[in-house]
Amino acid sequence: MIALLGGSGLDRWPQLGALVPTTIDTPYGPPAAPLLCGAVDGVPVCFLPRHGAGHSLPPHRINYRANLWGLKAAGATAVIAVATVGSIPAHIGPGALVLPDQIVDYTHGREATFFDGADGQVEHVEFTEPYDGLLRAALLDAAAARGIALIDGATYAATQGPRLETRAEIDRLERDGCHIVGMTGMPEAALARELGLPYACLAVVANRAAGRGAIGLLAEIEQHLAAGIDAAQRLLLAALPHLARRG
Ligand code: HPA
């Protein structure tokens, strides 16, 4: 089953069809919303808006552990996370879809692991390649087949939020080699890895990052988010058969 995690601008997805709300509890409490589970074009899927059904949870308050655990408990075998981001280099403009291949974690104070030693065990996971190669390839295949532009490869900077960054912070992220910046990429990707769930991120660029664009960031996000999310939804629907083969 392919899990689709929705982010800002994607807390409802009526075009997915008649999915059944499924309430799940986890050792970490309930996920942000009931999971919507069913089949789309014959492919088993479940959808979870990571910020809650009414987009009520800010990035630092999301219960990432409950979300990921809940998806796995519902039968997910792969996770595609849709994430809204700002772009740092000029060649990635608002509205672009980006498939990151690396991540740098600048978040703090979040429950970031299932392996916190409570059971007397110390466990580490490899995270050299944080995103699953087969899922990334499936998304690239679907984008190519449908003629949907998808930028292959970027480093995602996961910031704490909920405020946007300063210009100097974005300068620093650029020096660190980051290309896109968002607030939810971590610990989500690491928790998926800890659960053995293949995970890929489809990033939707809503704005140029702080100090890079000509107009106010919030106005820019408002202006571009809907079209970007629409393109992401089209890509994901086209990608489901590809993902089902690889997930
Ligand atoms: N910074 C952090 N998170 C974001 C941004 C941004 O510019 N745009 C959308 N999410």
Side-chain angles (χ1 to χ4, degrees):
M1 179 167 75
I2 309 294
L4 302 172
L5 258 174
S8 293
L10 187 55
D11 51 8
R12 294 179 314 112
W13 195 342
Q15 302 92 320
L16 276 185
L19 302 182
V20 180
T22 309
T23 304
I24 292 217
D25 203 9
T26 82
Y28 308 96
L35 275 47
L36 294 174
C37 301
V40 176
D41 294 336
V43 177
V45 298
C46 65
F47 173 66
L48 174 64
R50 70 164 70 76
H51 296 271
H55 199 274
S56 51
L57 296 167
H60 64 294
R61 293 246 177 251
I62 291 172
N63 189 341
Y64 295 93
R65 294 194 297 184
N67 284 354
L68 271 298
W69 188 283
L71 290 175
K72 178 145 186 176
T77 52
V79 178
I80 307 294
V82 180
T84 301
V85 298
S87 73
I88 300 175
H91 73 274
I92 306 180
L97 298 181
V98 183
L99 198 56
D101 60 348
Q102 280 296 323
I103 192 161
V104 180
D105 187 6
Y106 300 93
T107 67
H108 50 85
R110 302 181 180 191
E111 295 289 357
T113 180
F114 294 109
F115 300 151
D116 57 9
D119 55 3
Q121 300 280 319
V122 177
E123 284 198 63
H124 303 285
V125 289
E126 286 200 28
F127 204 45
T128 312
E129 300 299 332
Y131 301 111
D132 183 79
L134 293 179
L135 296 180
R136 293 186 75 260
L139 289 166
L140 287 166
D141 287 351
R146 288 298 171 104
I148 299 173
L150 176 61
I151 296 173
D152 177 12
T155 297
Y156 178 127
T159 56
Q160 177 70 359
R163 65 165 177 84
L164 293 158
E165 298 72 31
T166 66
R167 185 160 39 82
E169 285 169 336
I170 295 297
D171 290 344
R172 171 192 173 207
L173 300 187
E174 185 167 41
R175 288 194 299 275
D176 284 356
C178 300
H179 306 101
I180 53 178
V181 52
M183 299 174 191
T184 56
M186 286 293 281
E188 198 173 84
L191 292 167
R193 178 62 52 86
E194 287 186 352
L195 289 177
L197 273 175
Y199 176 100
C201 170
L202 176 59
V204 179
V205 177
N207 58 289
R208 301 294 319 287
R212 299 299 192 267
I215 60 170
L217 264 71
L218 293 174
E220 204 176 8
I221 292 172
E222 178 86 33
Q223 189 180 330
H224 295 287
L225 186 56
I229 291 292
D230 189 64
Q233 288 175 304
R234 279 190 287 114
L235 173 57
L236 287 173
L237 288 177
L240 282 177
H242 300 256
L243 291 166
R245 281 195 291 277
R246 310 220 188 189

